[in-house]
Amino acid sequence: MLVVMKNDATEAQVQAVIREIESLGYRGIPMPGAQRTAVCIIGNQGPVDDSRLLLMEGVKETIRVTKPFKLVSRETHPEATTITIGDVKIGGGKPVIMAGPCAVESEEQALTIARLVKKYGAQVFRGGAFKPRTSPYSFQGLGEEGLKILDKVRQETGLLIVTEATDHINIEVVEQYTDIIQIGARNMQNYSLLRRAGHASKPVLLKRSFAATIEELLMSAEYISSEGNNQVILCERGIRTFSDNTRNTLDLSAIPSIKEVSHLPIIVDPSHAAGRRDYVIPLSKGAIAVGADGLLVEVHHDPPHALSDGMQSLYPEQFGELMEEIKSLIR
Ligand code: PEP
Ligand code: MN
């Protein structure tokens, strides 16, 4: 349930409503908005008795939230959320382009690619230091050494950094080095990791699992928000279907669907969806055309020798071409 406050409600009246909600055994989370402040009630299993709340000073009305996700729902927060990191704004404006290799392999590799993607207009550098690999025998990432390289990339290029935390232990060190904490598709329902990310001081990029419904993705985002971190960026990266010509099937309809029910920004990863570089540019154009708030694209200066996901990594010049091709689609 949402307790909507009057336009002129005071902070003291909002706090009194929160205390009343707590006395009923629930939690009250203030949701300041452009038009009005509301307090979202979370923790209730069934309907809430709103009779006392409706009599309180400053309260305009109560609204039942119909979705199982509350804090990330548009019902509780009608305006689109914008996440600001330095000069970069994610959501509700121009698409933000995040690009870089699947994994950080060496300082020279990361810096070479970072300089190139910056030249072509990327704002965020991606690269995994902790890699969730299907095979235990595949390259697992450089760990903290990789994070130190990413820190150098930020210092040298000014690009923001997004890199993955794969468990609730390495998120501690990832949080120190990165600007955005990535939670990968395989970990979308790793609840201890989600809860820990909810206490992080950095925004979280939450990728949709290849087997998750949109509601499941939003419930995972709710885990992060319910712990206090509202800075969540969603990412559609392809789901598993019976289509077998691509690594996954990019669910472009997820973009308008999510925008209808949630205020969170959503970006698209065409690389893991396609699994092959020749489809990355057309899928990126589709993603921007349907309203994605950004792209997460794998780029490598030497894809045949990449330690992971070389097949789907763009050559730097192709990334330049992608940036040119999406220009006309950006308003
Ligand atoms: C990645 O971004 O490198 C990655 C591992 O992606 P996903 O979690 O979507 O498979
Ligand atoms: Mn990858």
Side-chain angles (χ1 to χ4, degrees):
M1 178 175 286
L2 198 64
V3 182
V4 181
M5 305 300 293
K6 291 178 180 160
N7 285 345
D8 58 356
T10 63
E11 180 54 29
Q13 288 168 342
V14 173
Q15 290 306 320
V17 165
I18 293 173
R19 282 196 300 277
E20 178 62 25
I21 293 167
E22 285 169 356
S23 76
L24 294 168
Y26 315 127
R27 278 173 63 203
I29 311 276
M31 311 278 293
Q35 309 298 328
R36 44 119 174 103
T37 289
V39 181
C40 183
I41 301 178
I42 57 174
N44 56 302
Q45 298 301 326
V48 173
D49 176 5
D50 61 358
S51 50
R52 290 217 303 263
L53 289 164
L54 282 169
L55 294 174
M56 292 184 73
E57 297 283 336
V59 172
K60 181 168 172 243
E61 60 183 337
T62 58
I63 299 174
R64 231 173 72 83
V65 179
T66 56
K67 299 280 189 295
F69 43 90
K70 312 287 178 197
L71 299 173
V72 306
S73 156
R74 265 212 202 258
E75 290 177 281
T76 56
H77 191 285
E79 304 94 16
T81 284
T82 300
I83 294 172
T84 306
I85 317 165
D87 300 335
V88 176
K89 287 188 191 310
I90 306 166
K94 273 176 85 171
V96 171
I97 311 302
M98 311 183 185
C102 180
V104 177
E105 298 167 9
S106 69
E107 184 174 321
E108 195 195 341
Q109 173 251 18
L111 277 169
T112 303
I113 301 169
R115 289 186 192 115
L116 288 163
V117 297
K118 179 172 170 138
K119 179 179 98 177
Y120 291 120
Q123 292 135 295
V124 183
F125 184 72
R126 64 145 292 148
F130 294 96
K131 292 303 301 175
R133 302 305 301 279
T134 303
S135 164
Y137 310 119
S138 303
F139 175 59
Q140 303 285 311
L142 296 180
E144 188 163 357
E145 189 195 333
L147 296 175
K148 289 185 176 148
I149 293 171
L150 289 170
D151 201 31
K152 259 203 186 130
V153 167
R154 183 201 293 103
Q155 283 171 32
E156 278 231 6
T157 63
L159 290 168
L160 295 176
I161 301 296
V162 58
T163 194
E164 182 165 354
T166 52
D167 59 43
H168 65 279
I169 298 165
N170 61 35
I171 189 174
E172 301 289 338
V173 63
V174 168
E175 184 184 7
Q176 289 170 33
Y177 285 96
T178 197
D179 297 298
I180 304 171
I181 301 165
Q182 178 172 326
I183 295 185
R186 291 158 191 78
N187 269 317
M188 191 203 84
Q189 288 180 315
N190 178 341
Y191 299 115
S192 54
L193 178 58
L194 296 176
R195 284 196 188 281
R196 173 58 186 79
H199 292 278
S201 55
K202 306 274 171 74
V204 177
L205 177 68
L206 177 64
K207 297 187 91 175
R208 181 183 181 184
S209 157
F210 36 72
T213 63
I214 285 169
E215 185 169 302
E216 285 164 342
L217 170 63
L218 291 168
M219 292 307 287
S220 291
E222 186 82 6
Y223 262 90
I224 301 170
S225 269
S226 68
E227 295 294 331
N229 190 352
N230 299 315
Q231 307 232 295
V232 181
I233 305 150
L234 303 171
C235 180
E236 162 60 35
R237 46 76 77 207
I239 52 173
R240 190 160 283 176
T241 68
F242 52 81
S243 178
D244 58 0
N245 192 39
T246 47
R247 183 173 174 182
N248 292 283
T249 300
L250 183 59
D251 180 11
L252 280 184
S253 59
I255 312 309
S257 304
I258 287 172
K259 286 196 169 285
E260 184 187 350
V261 297
S262 174
H263 55 86
L264 295 178
I266 172 150
I267 68 167
V268 166
D269 170 350
S271 308
H272 290 87
R276 42 191 289 182
R277 78 177 64 84
D278 52 342
Y279 291 177
V280 169
I281 293 179
L283 293 182
S284 298
K285 287 161 72 178
I288 300 297
V290 297
D293 295 302
L295 298 173
L296 180 72
V297 186
E298 286 185 342
V299 180
H300 201 286
H301 67 302
D302 184 11
H305 293 104
L307 295 183
S308 61
D309 286 348
M311 292 266 289
Q312 66 195 33
S313 298
L314 295 181
Y315 284 88
E317 308 70 47
Q318 287 179 305
F319 176 66
E321 204 181 303
L322 183 158
M323 294 299 282
E324 274 306 310
E325 294 233 7
I326 60 173
K327 257 188 199 157
S328 62
L329 299 168
I330 299 174
R331 275 159 280 142

